[in-house]
Coordinates of all heavy atoms in Angstrom, one line a residue:
L56 N -125.1 90.9 -36.1 CA -125.3 91.0 -37.5 C -125.3 89.7 -38.3 O -126.2 89.5 -39.2 CB -123.8 91.7 -38.0 CG -123.9 92.1 -39.5 CD1 -125.1 93.1 -39.8 CD2 -122.6 92.8 -39.7
H195 N -128.3 93.5 -53.3 CA -127.4 93.9 -52.1 C -128.1 95.1 -51.3 O -128.0 95.0 -50.0 CB -126.0 94.1 -52.4 CG -125.3 92.9 -52.9 ND1 -124.1 92.9 -53.7 CD2 -125.6 91.5 -52.8 CE1 -123.7 91.7 -53.9 NE2 -124.6 90.8 -53.4
S196 N -128.5 96.0 -52.0 CA -128.9 97.3 -51.3 C -130.2 97.0 -50.5 O -130.4 97.7 -49.4 CB -129.2 98.3 -52.2 OG -130.1 97.9 -53.2
V197 N -130.9 96.0 -50.8 CA -132.2 95.6 -50.0 C -131.8 94.6 -49.0 O -132.2 94.7 -47.8 CB -133.2 95.1 -51.0 CG1 -134.4 94.7 -50.2 CG2 -133.5 96.3 -52.1
F199 N -128.9 93.8 -47.6 CA -128.1 94.3 -46.5 C -128.4 95.6 -45.9 O -127.7 96.2 -45.3 CB -126.6 94.3 -47.1 CG -126.0 93.0 -47.4 CD1 -126.0 92.6 -48.7 CD2 -125.7 92.1 -46.5 CE1 -125.4 91.5 -49.1 CE2 -125.2 90.8 -46.8 CZ -124.9 90.4 -48.1
S200 N -129.7 96.0 -46.4 CA -130.0 97.3 -45.8 C -130.3 97.2 -44.2 O -130.6 96.3 -43.7 CB -131.5 97.8 -46.4 OG -132.5 96.8 -46.1
N201 N -129.9 98.4 -43.6 CA -130.0 98.4 -42.1 C -129.0 97.7 -41.4 O -128.8 97.7 -40.2 CB -131.4 98.1 -41.6 CG -132.5 98.8 -42.0 OD1 -132.3 100.1 -42.3 ND2 -133.7 98.2 -42.3
L202 N -128.1 97.0 -42.2 CA -127.0 96.1 -41.6 C -125.6 96.9 -42.0 O -124.8 96.9 -41.1 CB -127.0 94.7 -42.2 CG -128.3 93.9 -41.9 CD1 -128.1 92.5 -42.6 CD2 -128.5 93.7 -40.4
L203 N -125.5 97.3 -43.1 CA -124.1 97.8 -43.6 C -124.3 99.4 -43.8 O -123.3 99.9 -44.4 CB -123.7 97.1 -44.8 CG -123.5 95.6 -44.7 CD1 -123.0 95.1 -46.0 CD2 -122.6 95.3 -43.6
E204 N -125.6 99.9 -43.6 CA -125.7 101.3 -43.9 C -125.3 102.3 -42.9 O -125.4 103.7 -43.0 CB -127.3 101.5 -44.1 CG -127.6 100.7 -45.5 CD -127.0 101.3 -46.6 OE1 -126.7 102.6 -46.9 OE2 -126.6 100.5 -47.6
E205 N -124.7 101.9 -41.7 CA -124.2 102.9 -40.7 C -123.2 103.7 -41.3 O -122.3 103.3 -42.0 CB -123.8 102.2 -39.5 CG -125.0 101.4 -38.7 CD -125.0 99.8 -39.2 OE1 -124.3 99.7 -40.2 OE2 -125.6 99.2 -38.5
T206 N -123.3 105.0 -41.0 CA -122.2 105.9 -41.5 C -121.3 106.5 -40.4 O -120.6 107.5 -40.6 CB -122.8 107.1 -42.2 OG1 -123.8 107.8 -41.3 CG2 -123.7 106.6 -43.4
G207 N -121.4 106.0 -39.2 CA -120.5 106.4 -38.1 C -120.1 105.2 -37.2 O -120.5 104.1 -37.6
F211 N -116.6 99.1 -38.5 CA -116.9 99.1 -40.1 C -117.3 97.7 -40.5 O -116.5 96.8 -40.5 CB -115.8 99.7 -40.8 CG -116.1 99.6 -42.4 CD1 -117.2 100.2 -43.0 CD2 -115.1 98.9 -43.2 CE1 -117.3 100.2 -44.3 CE2 -115.3 99.0 -44.6 CZ -116.4 99.5 -45.2
S212 N -118.6 97.4 -41.0 CA -119.1 96.0 -41.2 C -118.8 95.7 -42.7 O -119.2 96.6 -43.6 CB -120.5 95.9 -40.8 OG -120.7 96.1 -39.5
V224 N -118.9 93.0 -49.9 CA -120.0 93.9 -49.9 C -119.8 94.9 -48.6 O -119.6 94.4 -47.5 CB -121.4 93.2 -49.7 CG1 -122.5 94.3 -49.7 CG2 -121.5 92.2 -50.9
Y225 N -119.9 96.1 -48.9 CA -119.7 97.1 -47.8 C -120.4 98.4 -48.1 O -120.8 98.5 -49.3 CB -118.2 97.4 -47.5 CG -117.4 98.0 -48.6 CD1 -117.3 99.5 -48.4 CD2 -117.0 97.4 -49.6 CE1 -116.7 100.1 -49.5 CE2 -116.3 98.0 -50.6 CZ -116.1 99.4 -50.6 OH -115.4 100.0 -51.5
N226 N -120.5 99.4 -47.2 CA -121.1 100.7 -47.3 C -120.0 101.7 -47.7 O -119.1 102.0 -46.9 CB -121.8 101.1 -46.2 CG -122.4 102.5 -46.3 OD1 -122.6 102.9 -47.5 ND2 -122.8 103.0 -45.2
P227 N -119.9 102.1 -49.0 CA -118.8 103.0 -49.4 C -119.0 104.4 -48.7 O -118.0 105.3 -48.8 CB -118.9 103.1 -50.8 CG -120.3 102.8 -51.1 CD -120.8 101.8 -50.2
K228 N -120.1 104.7 -48.1 CA -120.3 106.1 -47.5 C -119.8 106.0 -46.1 O -119.9 107.1 -45.4 CB -121.8 106.4 -47.5 CG -122.4 106.6 -49.0 CD -123.8 106.9 -48.9 CE -124.3 107.2 -50.3 NZ -125.7 107.6 -50.4
H229 N -119.5 104.9 -45.6 CA -119.0 104.8 -44.2 C -117.8 105.7 -43.9 O -116.9 105.6 -44.8 CB -118.9 103.3 -43.8 CG -118.7 103.2 -42.3 ND1 -117.5 103.5 -41.5 CD2 -119.6 102.7 -41.3 CE1 -117.8 103.3 -40.2 NE2 -119.0 102.8 -40.1

Side-chain angles (χ1 to χ4, degrees):
L56 187 60
H195 286 167
S196 59
V197 177
F199 295 105
S200 64
N201 303 324
L202 298 179
L203 306 178
E204 291 300 320
E205 294 90 346
T206 57
F211 171 59
S212 299
V224 182
Y225 67 95
N226 177 19
K228 296 181 181 180
H229 196 282

